[in-house]
Coordinates of all heavy atoms in Angstrom, one line a residue:
M1 N -14.1 94.2 5.7 CA -12.9 94.1 6.6 C -11.7 94.7 5.9 O -11.5 94.5 4.7 CB -12.7 92.6 6.9 CG -11.4 92.4 7.6 SD -11.3 91.4 9.1 CE -12.9 90.9 9.5
L2 N -11.0 95.5 6.7 CA -9.8 96.2 6.2 C -8.6 95.3 6.5 O -8.4 94.9 7.6 CB -9.7 97.5 6.8 CG -8.5 98.4 6.4 CD1 -8.6 98.7 4.9 CD2 -8.5 99.7 7.1
L3 N -7.8 95.0 5.4 CA -6.6 94.2 5.5 C -5.4 95.1 5.1 O -5.5 95.7 4.1 CB -6.7 93.0 4.6 CG -7.9 92.0 4.8 CD1 -7.8 90.9 3.8 CD2 -7.9 91.5 6.2
T4 N -4.4 95.1 6.0 CA -3.2 96.0 5.6 C -1.9 95.4 6.2 O -1.9 94.7 7.2 CB -3.4 97.4 6.2 OG1 -2.3 98.2 5.8 CG2 -3.6 97.5 7.7
T5 N -0.9 95.7 5.5 CA 0.5 95.3 5.9 C 1.0 96.2 7.0 O 2.0 95.9 7.6 CB 1.4 95.1 4.8 OG1 1.5 96.4 4.1 CG2 1.0 94.0 3.8
T6 N 0.5 97.4 7.1 CA 1.0 98.4 8.0 C 0.5 98.1 9.4 O -0.5 97.4 9.6 CB 0.5 99.8 7.6 OG1 -0.9 99.9 7.7 CG2 1.0 100.2 6.3
P7 N 1.3 98.5 10.5 CA 0.9 98.2 11.8 C -0.2 99.0 12.4 O -0.8 98.7 13.4 CB 2.2 98.5 12.6 CG 3.0 99.4 11.8 CD 2.6 99.2 10.4
T8 N -0.5 100.1 11.7 CA -1.7 101.0 12.1 C -2.4 101.4 10.9 O -1.9 101.3 9.8 CB -1.1 102.2 12.9 OG1 -0.3 103.0 12.0 CG2 -0.4 101.9 14.2
I9 N -3.6 102.1 11.1 CA -4.4 102.6 10.0 C -4.5 104.1 10.3 O -5.1 104.5 11.3 CB -5.7 101.9 9.9 CG1 -5.5 100.4 9.7 CG2 -6.6 102.5 8.8 CD1 -6.7 99.5 10.0
E10 N -4.0 104.9 9.4 CA -4.0 106.3 9.6 C -5.4 106.8 9.8 O -6.4 106.5 9.0 CB -3.4 107.0 8.3 CG -3.2 108.5 8.5 CD -2.5 109.1 7.4 OE1 -1.8 108.4 6.6 OE2 -2.5 110.4 7.3
G11 N -5.6 107.6 10.9 CA -6.9 108.2 11.2 C -7.9 107.2 11.8 O -9.0 107.6 12.1
Q12 N -7.5 106.0 12.1 CA -8.3 105.0 12.7 C -7.6 104.4 13.9 O -6.9 103.4 13.8 CB -8.6 103.9 11.7 CG -9.4 104.3 10.4 CD -10.8 104.7 10.7 OE1 -11.5 104.0 11.5 NE2 -11.3 105.7 10.1
P13 N -7.9 104.9 15.1 CA -7.2 104.3 16.2 C -7.7 102.9 16.5 O -8.9 102.6 16.3 CB -7.7 105.3 17.4 CG -8.9 105.9 16.9 CD -8.8 106.0 15.4
I14 N -6.8 102.1 16.9 CA -7.2 100.7 17.2 C -7.8 100.7 18.6 O -7.1 101.1 19.6 CB -5.9 99.8 17.1 CG1 -5.5 99.7 15.7 CG2 -6.2 98.4 17.7 CD1 -4.2 98.9 15.5
R15 N -9.0 100.2 18.7 CA -9.7 100.2 20.0 C -9.5 98.9 20.8 O -9.6 98.9 22.0 CB -11.2 100.5 19.8 CG -11.5 101.9 19.2 CD -13.0 102.2 19.1 NE -13.6 101.4 18.0 CZ -14.8 100.7 18.2 NH1 -15.4 100.8 19.3 NH2 -15.2 100.0 17.2
E16 N -9.3 97.8 20.0 CA -9.2 96.6 20.7 C -8.3 95.6 19.9 O -8.5 95.5 18.7 CB -10.5 96.0 21.0 CG -10.6 94.7 21.7 CD -12.0 94.2 22.0 OE1 -13.0 94.8 21.6 OE2 -12.1 93.0 22.5
Y17 N -7.4 94.9 20.5 CA -6.6 93.9 19.9 C -7.3 92.5 20.2 O -7.5 92.2 21.3 CB -5.2 93.9 20.4 CG -4.4 95.1 19.9 CD1 -4.4 96.3 20.6 CD2 -3.6 95.0 18.7 CE1 -3.7 97.4 20.1 CE2 -2.9 96.1 18.3 CZ -2.9 97.2 19.0 OH -2.2 98.3 18.5
K18 N -7.6 91.8 19.1 CA -8.3 90.5 19.3 C -7.3 89.3 19.3 O -7.6 88.3 19.8 CB -9.3 90.3 18.2 CG -10.5 91.2 18.2 CD -11.3 91.0 19.4 CE -12.6 91.7 19.4 NZ -13.5 91.3 20.5
G19 N -6.1 89.5 18.6 CA -5.1 88.4 18.6 C -4.6 88.1 17.2 O -5.0 88.7 16.2
I20 N -3.7 87.2 17.2 CA -3.0 86.8 15.9 C -4.0 85.9 15.1 O -4.6 85.0 15.7 CB -1.7 86.1 16.2 CG1 -0.7 87.0 16.9 CG2 -1.1 85.5 14.9 CD1 0.5 86.3 17.4
V21 N -4.0 86.2 13.8 CA -4.8 85.3 12.9 C -3.9 84.9 11.8 O -3.0 85.6 11.4 CB -6.1 86.1 12.4 CG1 -7.1 86.2 13.4 CG2 -5.7 87.4 11.8
T22 N -4.2 83.7 11.3 CA -3.4 83.2 10.2 C -4.4 82.6 9.1 O -5.5 82.3 9.4 CB -2.5 82.0 10.7 OG1 -3.3 81.0 11.2 CG2 -1.5 82.5 11.7
G23 N -3.8 82.4 8.0 CA -4.5 81.7 6.9 C -3.4 80.9 6.1 O -2.3 81.5 5.9
E24 N -3.7 79.7 5.7 CA -2.7 78.9 5.0 C -3.4 78.2 3.8 O -4.6 77.9 3.9 CB -2.1 77.8 5.9 CG -1.4 78.3 7.1 CD -2.4 78.5 8.3 OE1 -3.6 78.0 8.2 OE2 -2.1 79.3 9.2
T25 N -2.6 78.0 2.7 CA -3.1 77.2 1.6 C -1.9 76.5 1.0 O -0.8 77.1 0.9 CB -3.9 78.1 0.6 OG1 -4.5 77.2 -0.3 CG2 -3.1 79.1 -0.1
I26 N -2.2 75.3 0.5 CA -1.2 74.6 -0.3 C -1.8 74.2 -1.6 O -2.9 73.6 -1.6 CB -0.7 73.4 0.5 CG1 0.0 73.8 1.8 CG2 0.3 72.5 -0.4 CD1 0.4 72.6 2.7
I27 N -1.1 74.6 -2.7 CA -1.6 74.3 -4.0 C -0.5 73.5 -4.8 O 0.6 73.9 -4.7 CB -2.0 75.6 -4.7 CG1 -3.2 76.3 -4.0 CG2 -2.3 75.3 -6.2 CD1 -3.6 77.5 -4.6
G28 N -1.0 72.5 -5.5 CA 0.0 71.8 -6.3 C 0.0 72.3 -7.7 O -1.0 72.8 -8.2
A29 N 1.1 72.2 -8.3 CA 1.3 72.6 -9.7 C 1.2 71.3 -10.6 O 1.7 70.3 -10.2 CB 2.6 73.3 -10.0
N30 N 0.5 71.4 -11.7 CA 0.4 70.2 -12.5 C 1.5 70.1 -13.5 O 2.3 71.0 -13.8 CB -1.0 70.1 -13.1 CG -1.2 71.1 -14.2 OD1 -0.3 71.6 -14.9 ND2 -2.5 71.5 -14.4
F31 N 1.6 69.0 -14.2 CA 2.7 68.6 -15.1 C 2.7 69.6 -16.3 O 3.8 70.1 -16.6 CB 2.4 67.2 -15.7 CG 3.3 66.9 -16.8 CD1 4.7 66.6 -16.6 CD2 2.9 66.9 -18.1 CE1 5.5 66.4 -17.7 CE2 3.7 66.6 -19.2 CZ 5.0 66.3 -18.9
M32 N 1.6 70.0 -16.8 CA 1.6 70.9 -18.0 C 2.1 72.3 -17.6 O 2.9 72.9 -18.3 CB 0.2 71.1 -18.6 CG -0.3 69.8 -19.3 SD 0.9 69.2 -20.5 CE 0.7 70.4 -21.8
K33 N 1.8 72.8 -16.4 CA 2.3 74.1 -16.0 C 3.8 74.0 -15.8 O 4.5 74.9 -16.2 CB 1.6 74.5 -14.7 CG 0.2 75.0 -14.8 CD -0.4 75.3 -13.5 CE -1.9 75.6 -13.7 NZ -2.6 75.8 -12.4
D34 N 4.3 72.9 -15.2 CA 5.7 72.7 -15.1 C 6.4 72.7 -16.4 O 7.5 73.3 -16.6 CB 6.0 71.4 -14.3 CG 5.7 71.5 -12.9 OD1 5.5 72.6 -12.3 OD2 5.6 70.4 -12.2
L35 N 5.8 72.0 -17.4 CA 6.4 71.9 -18.7 C 6.5 73.3 -19.4 O 7.6 73.7 -19.9 CB 5.6 71.0 -19.6 CG 6.0 70.9 -21.1 CD1 7.4 70.2 -21.1 CD2 5.0 70.1 -21.9
F36 N 5.4 74.1 -19.4 CA 5.5 75.4 -20.0 C 6.3 76.4 -19.2 O 7.0 77.2 -19.8 CB 4.0 75.9 -20.2 CG 3.3 75.2 -21.2 CD1 2.1 74.5 -20.9 CD2 3.7 75.1 -22.5 CE1 1.4 73.8 -21.9 CE2 3.0 74.4 -23.5 CZ 1.8 73.8 -23.2
A37 N 6.4 76.2 -17.9 CA 7.3 77.1 -17.1 C 8.8 76.8 -17.5 O 9.6 77.7 -17.6 CB 7.1 76.9 -15.6
G38 N 9.1 75.5 -17.7 CA 10.4 75.1 -18.1 C 10.8 75.7 -19.5 O 11.9 76.2 -19.7
I39 N 9.8 75.7 -20.4 CA 10.1 76.4 -21.7 C 10.3 77.9 -21.5 O 11.2 78.5 -22.1 CB 8.9 76.1 -22.6 CG1 8.9 74.6 -23.0 CG2 9.0 76.9 -23.9 CD1 7.6 74.1 -23.7
R40 N 9.5 78.5 -20.6 CA 9.7 79.9 -20.4 C 11.1 80.2 -19.8 O 11.7 81.3 -20.1 CB 8.6 80.4 -19.4 CG 7.3 80.5 -20.0 CD 7.2 81.9 -20.7 NE 5.8 82.0 -21.1 CZ 5.4 82.6 -22.2 NH1 6.3 83.2 -23.0 NH2 4.2 82.7 -22.5
D41 N 11.6 79.3 -18.9 CA 12.9 79.5 -18.4 C 14.0 79.5 -19.5 O 14.9 80.3 -19.4 CB 13.2 78.4 -17.4 CG 12.5 78.6 -16.0 OD1 12.0 79.7 -15.8 OD2 12.5 77.6 -15.3
I42 N 13.8 78.7 -20.5 CA 14.7 78.6 -21.6 C 14.7 79.8 -22.5 O 15.7 80.4 -22.9 CB 14.5 77.3 -22.4 CG1 14.9 76.1 -21.5 CG2 15.4 77.3 -23.6 CD1 14.4 74.8 -22.0
I43 N 13.4 80.2 -22.9 CA 13.3 81.3 -23.9 C 13.1 82.6 -23.2 O 13.1 83.7 -23.9 CB 12.1 81.0 -24.9 CG1 10.8 80.9 -24.1 CG2 12.4 79.7 -25.7 CD1 9.6 80.8 -25.0
G44 N 12.8 82.7 -22.0 CA 12.6 83.9 -21.3 C 11.1 84.3 -21.2 O 10.3 83.7 -21.9
G45 N 10.8 85.2 -20.4 CA 9.4 85.7 -20.3 C 8.8 85.2 -18.9 O 9.4 84.6 -18.1
R46 N 7.6 85.7 -18.8 CA 6.9 85.4 -17.5 C 6.0 84.1 -17.7 O 5.6 83.8 -18.8 CB 6.0 86.6 -17.2 CG 6.8 87.8 -16.9 CD 5.9 89.0 -16.8 NE 4.9 88.9 -15.7 CZ 4.2 89.9 -15.2 NH1 4.3 91.1 -15.7 NH2 3.3 89.7 -14.3
S47 N 5.8 83.4 -16.6 CA 4.9 82.3 -16.6 C 3.6 82.6 -16.1 O 3.3 82.7 -14.9 CB 5.6 81.1 -15.8 OG 4.7 80.1 -15.7
G48 N 2.6 82.9 -17.0 CA 1.3 83.3 -16.6 C 0.6 82.3 -15.8 O -0.2 82.6 -14.9
S49 N 0.8 81.0 -16.1 CA 0.1 80.0 -15.3 C 0.5 79.9 -13.9 O -0.3 79.8 -13.0 CB 0.3 78.6 -16.0 OG 1.6 78.3 -16.1
Y50 N 1.8 80.0 -13.6 CA 2.3 80.1 -12.3 C 1.9 81.3 -11.5 O 1.6 81.3 -10.4 CB 3.8 79.9 -12.2 CG 4.3 78.5 -12.2 CD1 5.2 78.0 -13.2 CD2 3.9 77.6 -11.2 CE1 5.6 76.7 -13.2 CE2 4.3 76.3 -11.2 CZ 5.1 75.8 -12.2 OH 5.5 74.5 -12.1
E51 N 1.9 82.5 -12.2 CA 1.5 83.7 -11.6 C 0.0 83.6 -11.2 O -0.3 84.1 -10.1 CB 1.7 84.9 -12.6 CG 3.1 85.2 -12.8 CD 3.4 86.3 -13.8 OE1 2.4 86.8 -14.5 OE2 4.5 86.7 -14.1
K52 N -0.8 83.0 -12.0 CA -2.2 82.8 -11.6 C -2.3 81.9 -10.4 O -3.1 82.2 -9.5 CB -3.0 82.2 -12.8 CG -4.4 82.0 -12.6 CD -5.2 81.4 -13.8 CE -6.6 81.2 -13.4 NZ -7.3 80.4 -14.3
V53 N -1.6 80.8 -10.3 CA -1.6 79.9 -9.2 C -1.2 80.7 -7.9 O -1.8 80.6 -6.8 CB -0.7 78.7 -9.4 CG1 -0.5 77.9 -8.1 CG2 -1.3 77.8 -10.5
L54 N -0.1 81.5 -8.0 CA 0.3 82.3 -6.9 C -0.8 83.3 -6.4 O -1.0 83.4 -5.2 CB 1.6 83.1 -7.3 CG 2.9 82.4 -7.3 CD1 4.0 83.3 -7.9 CD2 3.3 82.0 -5.9
R55 N -1.4 83.9 -7.3 CA -2.5 84.9 -6.9 C -3.6 84.1 -6.2 O -4.2 84.6 -5.2 CB -3.0 85.6 -8.1 CG -2.2 86.8 -8.5 CD -2.8 87.7 -9.6 NE -3.2 87.0 -10.8 CZ -2.3 86.8 -11.8 NH1 -1.1 87.2 -11.7 NH2 -2.7 86.1 -12.9
E56 N -4.0 83.0 -6.8 CA -5.1 82.2 -6.2 C -4.8 81.7 -4.8 O -5.6 81.8 -3.9 CB -5.4 81.0 -7.1 CG -6.1 81.3 -8.4 CD -6.3 80.1 -9.3 OE1 -5.9 79.0 -9.0 OE2 -6.8 80.3 -10.5
A57 N -3.5 81.3 -4.6 CA -3.1 80.8 -3.3 C -3.1 81.9 -2.3 O -3.6 81.8 -1.2 CB -1.7 80.1 -3.4
K58 N -2.6 83.1 -2.7 CA -2.6 84.3 -1.8 C -4.0 84.7 -1.4 O -4.3 84.9 -0.3 CB -1.8 85.4 -2.5 CG -1.8 86.7 -1.6 CD -1.3 87.9 -2.4 CE -2.0 88.2 -3.7 NZ -3.2 89.0 -3.6
D59 N -4.8 84.8 -2.4 CA -6.2 85.2 -2.2 C -7.0 84.2 -1.3 O -7.7 84.6 -0.4 CB -7.0 85.3 -3.5 CG -6.5 86.5 -4.3 OD1 -5.8 87.4 -3.8 OD2 -6.8 86.5 -5.6
T60 N -6.7 82.9 -1.4 CA -7.4 81.9 -0.6 C -6.9 82.0 0.9 O -7.7 82.0 1.8 CB -7.1 80.5 -1.1 OG1 -7.6 80.4 -2.5 CG2 -7.7 79.4 -0.2
A61 N -5.6 82.2 1.0 CA -5.0 82.3 2.4 C -5.5 83.6 3.1 O -5.9 83.6 4.3 CB -3.5 82.3 2.3
L62 N -5.6 84.7 2.3 CA -6.1 86.0 2.9 C -7.6 85.8 3.3 O -8.0 86.3 4.3 CB -5.9 87.1 1.9 CG -4.5 87.6 1.8 CD1 -4.3 88.6 0.6 CD2 -4.0 88.3 3.1
A63 N -8.3 85.2 2.4 CA -9.8 85.0 2.7 C -10.0 84.1 4.0 O -10.8 84.4 4.8 CB -10.5 84.3 1.6
E64 N -9.1 83.1 4.2 CA -9.2 82.3 5.3 C -8.9 83.1 6.6 O -9.5 83.0 7.6 CB -8.2 81.1 5.2 CG -8.3 80.1 6.3 CD -7.4 78.9 6.0 OE1 -7.6 78.1 5.1 OE2 -6.4 78.8 6.8
M65 N -7.8 83.9 6.5 CA -7.4 84.7 7.6 C -8.5 85.7 8.0 O -8.8 85.9 9.1 CB -6.1 85.5 7.3 CG -5.6 86.3 8.5 SD -4.2 87.3 8.1 CE -4.8 88.3 6.8
E66 N -9.1 86.3 6.9 CA -10.2 87.3 7.1 C -11.4 86.6 7.9 O -12.0 87.2 8.8 CB -10.6 87.9 5.8 CG -11.6 88.9 5.9 CD -12.0 89.5 4.5 OE1 -11.3 89.3 3.5 OE2 -13.0 90.3 4.5
Q67 N -11.7 85.4 7.5 CA -12.8 84.7 8.1 C -12.5 84.5 9.6 O -13.4 84.6 10.5 CB -13.0 83.3 7.5 CG -14.0 83.3 6.4 CD -14.2 81.9 5.9 OE1 -13.3 81.1 5.8 NE2 -15.5 81.5 5.6
R68 N -11.3 84.1 9.9 CA -10.9 83.8 11.3 C -11.0 85.1 12.1 O -11.4 85.1 13.3 CB -9.5 83.2 11.4 CG -9.5 81.8 10.9 CD -8.1 81.2 10.9 NE -8.2 79.8 10.5 CZ -7.2 79.1 10.0 NH1 -6.0 79.7 9.9 NH2 -7.3 77.9 9.7
A69 N -10.5 86.2 11.5 CA -10.6 87.5 12.2 C -12.0 87.9 12.5 O -12.4 88.4 13.6 CB -9.9 88.6 11.4
A70 N -12.9 87.7 11.5 CA -14.3 88.1 11.7 C -15.0 87.3 12.8 O -15.8 87.8 13.6 CB -15.1 87.9 10.3
S71 N -14.6 86.0 12.8 CA -15.2 85.1 13.9 C -14.7 85.5 15.3 O -15.4 85.2 16.3 CB -14.8 83.6 13.6 OG -13.5 83.4 13.9
M72 N -13.6 86.3 15.4 CA -13.1 86.8 16.6 C -13.8 88.2 17.0 O -13.5 88.7 18.0 CB -11.6 87.0 16.6 CG -10.9 85.7 16.4 SD -9.1 85.9 16.0 CE -8.5 86.4 17.6
G73 N -14.6 88.7 16.0 CA -15.2 90.0 16.3 C -14.4 91.2 15.8 O -14.7 92.3 16.1
A74 N -13.4 90.9 15.0 CA -12.5 92.0 14.4 C -13.1 92.6 13.2 O -13.9 91.9 12.5 CB -11.1 91.5 14.1
N75 N -12.8 93.8 12.9 CA -13.2 94.5 11.6 C -12.0 94.9 10.8 O -12.2 95.6 9.8 CB -14.2 95.6 11.9 CG -13.6 96.7 12.7 OD1 -12.4 96.7 13.0 ND2 -14.4 97.8 12.9
A76 N -10.8 94.5 11.2 CA -9.6 94.8 10.4 C -8.5 93.9 10.9 O -8.5 93.3 12.0 CB -9.1 96.3 10.7
V77 N -7.5 93.7 10.0 CA -6.3 92.9 10.3 C -5.1 93.8 9.9 O -5.0 94.3 8.8 CB -6.2 91.6 9.6 CG1 -4.9 90.8 9.9 CG2 -7.5 90.7 9.9
V78 N -4.2 94.0 10.9 CA -3.0 94.9 10.6 C -1.8 94.1 10.7 O -1.8 93.0 11.2 CB -3.0 96.1 11.6 CG1 -4.2 97.0 11.5 CG2 -2.9 95.6 13.1
G79 N -0.7 94.6 10.1 CA 0.6 94.0 10.2 C 0.7 92.7 9.4 O 1.4 91.7 9.8
I80 N 0.0 92.6 8.3 CA -0.1 91.3 7.6 C 1.2 91.0 7.0 O 1.9 91.8 6.4 CB -1.2 91.3 6.5 CG1 -2.6 91.4 7.2 CG2 -1.1 90.1 5.6 CD1 -3.7 91.7 6.2
D81 N 1.7 89.7 7.1 CA 2.9 89.2 6.5 C 2.5 88.0 5.6 O 1.7 87.2 6.0 CB 3.8 88.7 7.6 CG 5.1 88.2 7.0 OD1 5.8 88.9 6.2 OD2 5.5 87.0 7.3
I82 N 3.0 88.0 4.4 CA 2.7 86.9 3.4 C 4.0 86.2 3.1 O 5.0 86.8 2.7 CB 2.1 87.5 2.1 CG1 0.9 88.4 2.4 CG2 1.8 86.4 1.1 CD1 0.3 89.1 1.2
D83 N 4.0 84.9 3.3 CA 5.1 84.0 3.1 C 4.8 83.0 2.0 O 3.7 82.4 2.1 CB 5.6 83.3 4.4 CG 6.2 84.3 5.4 OD1 7.0 85.1 5.0 OD2 5.8 84.2 6.5
Y84 N 5.8 82.8 1.1 CA 5.6 81.7 0.1 C 6.7 80.7 0.3 O 7.9 81.1 0.5 CB 5.8 82.4 -1.3 CG 4.8 83.4 -1.7 CD1 4.9 84.7 -1.3 CD2 3.6 83.0 -2.4 CE1 4.0 85.7 -1.7 CE2 2.6 84.0 -2.7 CZ 2.8 85.3 -2.4 OH 1.9 86.2 -2.7
E85 N 6.4 79.4 0.2 CA 7.3 78.3 0.3 C 7.0 77.2 -0.6 O 5.8 77.0 -0.9 CB 7.3 77.8 1.7 CG 8.0 78.6 2.8 CD 9.5 78.7 2.6 OE1 10.1 77.7 2.2 OE2 10.1 79.7 3.0
T86 N 8.0 76.5 -1.1 CA 7.7 75.3 -1.8 C 7.8 74.1 -0.8 O 8.7 74.1 0.0 CB 8.6 75.1 -3.0 OG1 10.0 75.1 -2.6 CG2 8.4 76.1 -4.1
V87 N 6.9 73.2 -1.0 CA 6.9 72.0 -0.1 C 6.6 70.7 -0.9 O 6.3 70.8 -2.1 CB 5.8 72.1 1.1 CG1 6.2 73.3 2.0 CG2 4.4 72.3 0.5
G88 N 6.8 69.6 -0.3 CA 6.5 68.4 -1.0 C 7.7 67.8 -1.7 O 8.8 68.5 -1.7
Q89 N 7.6 66.7 -2.2 CA 8.7 66.0 -2.9 C 9.1 66.9 -4.1 O 8.3 67.3 -4.9 CB 8.3 64.6 -3.4 CG 9.4 63.8 -3.9 CD 8.9 62.4 -4.2 OE1 7.7 62.2 -4.6 NE2 9.8 61.4 -4.0
S90 N 10.3 67.2 -4.2 CA 10.9 68.1 -5.3 C 10.3 69.4 -5.4 O 10.2 70.1 -6.4 CB 10.7 67.4 -6.6 OG 11.3 66.1 -6.6
G91 N 9.7 69.9 -4.2 CA 9.1 71.3 -4.2 C 7.9 71.4 -5.2 O 7.7 72.4 -5.8
S92 N 7.1 70.3 -5.3 CA 6.0 70.3 -6.2 C 4.8 71.0 -5.8 O 3.8 71.1 -6.5 CB 5.7 68.8 -6.5 OG 5.3 68.1 -5.3
M93 N 4.8 71.4 -4.5 CA 3.6 72.1 -4.0 C 4.0 73.5 -3.5 O 5.1 73.7 -3.1 CB 3.0 71.4 -2.8 CG 2.7 69.9 -3.0 SD 1.2 69.6 -3.9 CE 0.1 69.9 -2.6
L94 N 3.1 74.5 -3.6 CA 3.3 75.8 -3.2 C 2.5 76.1 -1.9 O 1.3 75.8 -1.9 CB 2.9 76.8 -4.3 CG 3.0 78.3 -3.8 CD1 4.4 78.7 -3.6 CD2 2.3 79.2 -4.9
M95 N 3.1 76.6 -0.9 CA 2.4 76.9 0.4 C 2.5 78.4 0.5 O 3.5 79.0 0.4 CB 3.0 76.3 1.6 CG 2.3 76.7 2.9 SD 3.1 76.0 4.4 CE 4.6 76.9 4.5
V96 N 1.3 79.0 0.8 CA 1.2 80.4 1.1 C 0.6 80.5 2.5 O -0.4 80.0 2.8 CB 0.3 81.2 0.1 CG1 0.3 82.7 0.5 CG2 0.9 81.1 -1.3
A97 N 1.4 81.2 3.4 CA 0.9 81.4 4.7 C 0.9 82.9 5.0 O 1.8 83.7 4.7 CB 1.9 80.8 5.7
V98 N -0.2 83.4 5.6 CA -0.4 84.8 5.9 C -0.7 84.9 7.4 O -1.3 84.0 8.0 CB -1.5 85.5 5.1 CG1 -1.2 85.5 3.6 CG2 -2.9 84.8 5.3
S99 N -0.2 86.0 8.0 CA -0.5 86.2 9.4 C -0.6 87.7 9.7 O -0.1 88.5 8.9 CB 0.6 85.6 10.3 OG 1.8 86.2 10.1
G100 N -1.4 88.0 10.7 CA -1.6 89.4 11.1 C -2.2 89.5 12.4 O -2.5 88.5 13.1
T101 N -2.6 90.7 12.8 CA -3.2 90.9 14.1 C -4.6 91.4 13.9 O -4.8 92.4 13.2 CB -2.5 92.0 14.9 OG1 -1.1 91.5 15.1 CG2 -3.1 92.2 16.3
A102 N -5.6 90.6 14.4 CA -7.0 91.0 14.3 C -7.3 92.1 15.3 O -6.9 92.0 16.4 CB -7.9 89.8 14.5
V103 N -8.0 93.2 14.8 CA -8.2 94.4 15.6 C -9.6 94.9 15.4 O -10.3 94.6 14.4 CB -7.2 95.5 15.4 CG1 -5.8 95.1 15.8 CG2 -7.3 96.0 14.0
V104 N -10.1 95.7 16.3 CA -11.3 96.5 16.1 C -10.9 98.0 16.0 O -10.2 98.5 16.9 CB -12.3 96.3 17.3 CG1 -13.5 97.2 17.1 CG2 -12.7 94.8 17.4
I105 N -11.3 98.6 14.9 CA -11.0 100.0 14.8 C -12.2 100.9 14.9 O -13.3 100.4 14.9 CB -10.3 100.3 13.4 CG1 -11.2 99.8 12.3 CG2 -8.9 99.7 13.3 CD1 -10.7 100.1 10.9

């Protein structure tokens, strides 16, 4: 399945629009990640543990969206938008929501 943020795929005319598809995931960060991220904030640098969590959440949401598109008979999703939000008490959870249009090319 082809996934793209662009509204069209060069050289591949869209033959059929199947509809909007979404994928969502919510992941909690644990205490140790928060502690080490706080230290990184003070001394500078990147937080590898949070970056890994972000990638995992994005990949999970995209896979869920891809499954939904496939179940509709699509072979591509165009116009994908990825949104990140913190949710829960004190923003302790990360939500990643993706959406796009399922199509047949």
Side-chain angles (χ1 to χ4, degrees):
M1 170 131 355
L2 183 58
L3 305 176
T4 180
T5 58
T6 60
T8 60
I9 301 166
E10 188 173 344
Q12 298 289 321
I14 294 174
R15 295 185 290 135
E16 185 179 354
Y17 289 85
K18 294 293 192 174
I20 296 170
V21 286
T22 62
E24 305 83 17
T25 189
I26 297 177
I27 294 180
N30 68 30
F31 171 73
M32 290 306 289
K33 287 179 186 171
D34 288 342
L35 176 65
F36 289 122
I39 292 170
R40 287 275 187 214
D41 284 345
I42 293 168
I43 63 172
R46 295 170 61 169
S47 174
S49 58
Y50 273 123
E51 289 174 359
K52 183 179 178 193
V53 169
L54 281 171
R55 279 191 302 276
E56 289 173 3
K58 175 189 58 82
D59 291 345
T60 301
L62 285 169
E64 184 177 292
M65 182 184 65
E66 184 176 348
Q67 268 186 322
R68 289 179 178 157
S71 72
M72 297 168 74
N75 62 1
V77 179
V78 297
I80 294 173
D81 180 56
I82 304 172
D83 292 311
Y84 297 88
E85 285 290 327
T86 55
V87 296
Q89 191 175 30
S90 304
S92 61
M93 307 279 285
L94 173 70
M95 177 181 72
V96 179
V98 297
S99 61
T101 303
V103 298
V104 175
I105 53 173

